[in-house]
């Protein structure tokens, strides 16, 4: 991304969140996001793009925690270890199957460098692509905005307190073959469907038509 493009993207973030953050606050979150992603980034050319996306997600989460976004939207945060497989699939399914009242995002305790190719292929088989998905770390602002935190194959002690928290015992898909990745994918899809149904039944989720919002 050229300097002019980065500047335009920065201004877009500032315009979107006008009245909630100062330019200095936005710049600080963008810089911190870039620093966090640099730890695992392999292609420097894409780092500015990913840092802007990550910063936007974090700022929206902070706005929600401060009471900014519209009420009635349920934020689901899926967390696994590397954010390269299980949590990415879960967030993608939640966004595809959820209503407009769903915002689905994902993060990793120890994010890997990229989303696993077999995971992308397995999700494409289901008609749910991951073209812009990338591994990112867990941050306090995203946790604070989450209404429901779902841990996939992680210990309960690794997740902070949340309004609602649940654990899914799903084994890692790193270094697994396509058949095992598909099995995990299908397990995750079934669990996401059940979760959305439960949230709708207890009134947490306003189950209107249309897909949810993804921030993977």
């Amino acid at each position: 991304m050229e300097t002019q493009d980065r500047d335009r993207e920065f201004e877009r973030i500032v315009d979107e969140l006008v009245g909630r953050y100062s330019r200095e606050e936005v710049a600080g979150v963008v810089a911190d996001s870039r620093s966090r992603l640099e730890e695992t980034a392999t292609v420097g050319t894409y780092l500015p793009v990913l840092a802007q996306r990550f910063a936007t997600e974090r700022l929206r989460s902070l706005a929600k925690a401060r009471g900014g976004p519209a009420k009635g939207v349920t934020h689901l945060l899926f967390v696994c270890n590397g954010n390269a497989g299980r949590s990415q699939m879960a967030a993608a399914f939640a966004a595809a199957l959820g209503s407009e009242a769903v915002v689905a995002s994902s993060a990793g305790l120890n994010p890997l460098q990229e989303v696993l190719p077999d995971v992308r292929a397995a999700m494409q088989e289901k008609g749910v692509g991951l073209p812009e998905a990338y591994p990112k770390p867990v941050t306090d602002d995203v946790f604070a905005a989450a209404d429901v935190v779902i841990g996939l194959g992680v210990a309960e002690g690794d997740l902070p307190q949340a309004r609602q928290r649940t654990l899914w015992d799903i084994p890692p898909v790193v270094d697994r073959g396509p058949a095992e990745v598909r099995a995990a994918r299908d397990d995750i899809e079934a669990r996401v469907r059940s979760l959305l149904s439960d949230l709708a039944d207890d009134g947490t989720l306003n189950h209107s038509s249309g897909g949810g919002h993804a921030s993977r």
Side-chain angles (χ1 to χ4, degrees), residues 19-207:
R20 297 178 187 171
Y21 303 103
S22 67
R23 295 177 64 85
E24 290 73 20
E25 286 179 303
V26 172
V29 173
V30 170
D32 181 68
S33 297
R34 182 183 179 109
S35 176
R36 289 172 184 261
L37 293 179
E38 279 178 341
E39 298 177 9
T40 56
T42 55
V43 184
T45 304
Y46 302 128
L47 181 58
V49 180
L50 299 183
Q52 299 282 13
R53 289 180 190 165
F54 189 27
T56 301
E57 177 181 340
R58 293 176 62 192
L59 288 164
R60 287 172 179 162
S61 295
L62 280 169
K64 181 179 186 299
R66 295 177 181 180
K71 295 180 179 180
V73 176
T74 301
H75 185 177
L76 307 179
L77 174 62
F78 298 91
V79 181
C80 67
N81 186 55
N83 194 217
R86 294 167 293 178
S87 58
Q88 292 281 358
M89 290 191 283
F93 276 128
L97 300 171
S99 70
E100 287 294 325
V102 173
V103 173
S105 43
S106 67
L109 300 175
N110 300 287
L112 298 181
Q113 295 175 343
E114 60 183 358
V115 175
L116 300 170
D118 283 345
V119 167
R120 292 186 186 274
M123 292 299 289
Q124 192 61 52
E125 291 173 357
K126 301 289 286 189
V128 183
L130 300 173
E132 297 184 352
Y134 62 98
K136 50 198 171 299
V138 171
T139 58
D140 291 340
D141 37 39
V142 174
F143 262 125
D147 297 297
V148 185
V149 176
I150 304 95
L152 295 86
V154 301
E156 185 174 6
D158 291 331
L159 301 177
Q161 293 299 320
R163 296 177 181 84
Q164 185 174 337
R165 182 172 59 174
T166 188
L167 298 176
W168 292 351
D169 185 14
I170 299 176
V173 293
V174 177
D175 296 327
R176 298 294 191 270
E180 292 171 289
V181 172
R182 290 190 185 100
R185 175 202 64 193
D186 294 343
D187 185 8
I188 289 169
E189 181 182 7
R191 289 174 187 257
V192 169
R193 288 182 181 275
S194 179
L195 173 65
L196 294 174
S197 178
D198 290 345
L199 292 174
D201 288 344
D202 68 17
T204 301
L205 188 65
N206 177 18
H207 227 335

